[in-house]
Amino acid sequence: AKMPEVNPTEVDVAKKLHAFIMLMRNNDAQVPIRYVGPDYGVEVITDAEQITQVFTNILRNALQALEGQENADVIVVLKQVPANQRLSKKLSEQYQWVEIAISDNGPGIPNIELAMKEGFSTAPDNIRSLGFGAGMGLPNMKRYTDEMTIESEVGVGTTIRMVVKLS
């Protein structure tokens, strides 16, 4: 499959995240999703369609992993990143950055390096039969953000941090 072309535009990532989370709160897994951040007004330069797909992939994966788990929880945090708190020096100080962090208390990712390979998927057959679980979620998230880190501990949960440039 050919990778879609990237069409960077100004996107209100807060508005998009807030609306998306409102839709996802009524999920089959009955997992609460908490959002901490502004409801609108955080303009970034990214591909609007692809960033929506990123949110879809990451939240769908979290909900799938948490289904049936007691005290399951997902929290999404959107915040500006001060220059002295950048994840790496490659993020130029001449720009302002915003961080989207999505955390869950699910089973964790046993092998992050393997999970980052295109085509790797933990999706069960019934999910794959619906056209999901192609193993492009994490690689695509990295492709459509300026920086991404994953922290995960098996049996404890996962936090994915994505940083994008403010417009």
Side-chain angles (χ1 to χ4, degrees), residues 42-115:
V42 181
E43 300 283 337
V44 300
I45 302 293
T46 190
D47 184 301
E49 191 174 308
Q50 294 304 322
I51 200 75
T52 299
Q53 191 61 49
V54 163
F55 298 152
T56 301
N57 289 344
I58 199 168
L59 284 173
R60 185 177 286 136
N61 288 349
L63 295 173
Q64 177 188 327
L66 291 166
E67 192 165 6
Q69 178 179 313
E70 207 170 295
N71 299 317
D73 191 29
V74 174
I75 184 166
V76 179
V77 178
L78 175 64
K79 66 179 185 178
Q80 282 201 247
V81 180
N84 64 347
Q85 292 179 13
R86 291 170 295 136
L87 296 174
S88 76
K89 297 297 177 204
K90 81 172 192 164
L91 298 178
S92 170
E93 289 189 35
Q94 71 183 20
Y95 300 110
Q96 290 187 314
W97 303 92
V98 65
E99 177 184 283
I100 303 158
I102 302 176
S103 302
D104 68 47
N105 62 346
I109 300 171
N111 186 331
I112 293 171
E113 189 177 327
L114 182 61

Side-chain angles (χ1 to χ4, degrees), residues 115-160:
M116 287 301 298
K117 291 188 188 287
E118 290 185 8
F120 176 79
S121 178
T122 58
D125 289 340
N126 66 320
I127 298 296
R128 288 180 188 209
S129 71
L130 297 172
F132 302 110
M136 293 302 294
L138 291 175
N140 277 344
M141 286 189 282
K142 188 165 184 69
R143 187 174 288 116
Y144 296 110
T145 59
D146 292 293
E147 185 170 82
M148 185 177 98
T149 61
I150 302 173
E151 297 167 12
S152 190
E153 189 176 335
V154 174
V156 176
T158 301
T159 297
I160 297 176

Side-chain angles (χ1 to χ4, degrees), residues 24-32 62-69 72:
M24 295 292 285
R25 280 193 171 145
N26 185 20
N27 59 76
D28 293 339
Q30 298 181 344
V31 173
L63 295 173
Q64 177 188 327
L66 291 166
E67 192 165 6
Q69 178 179 313

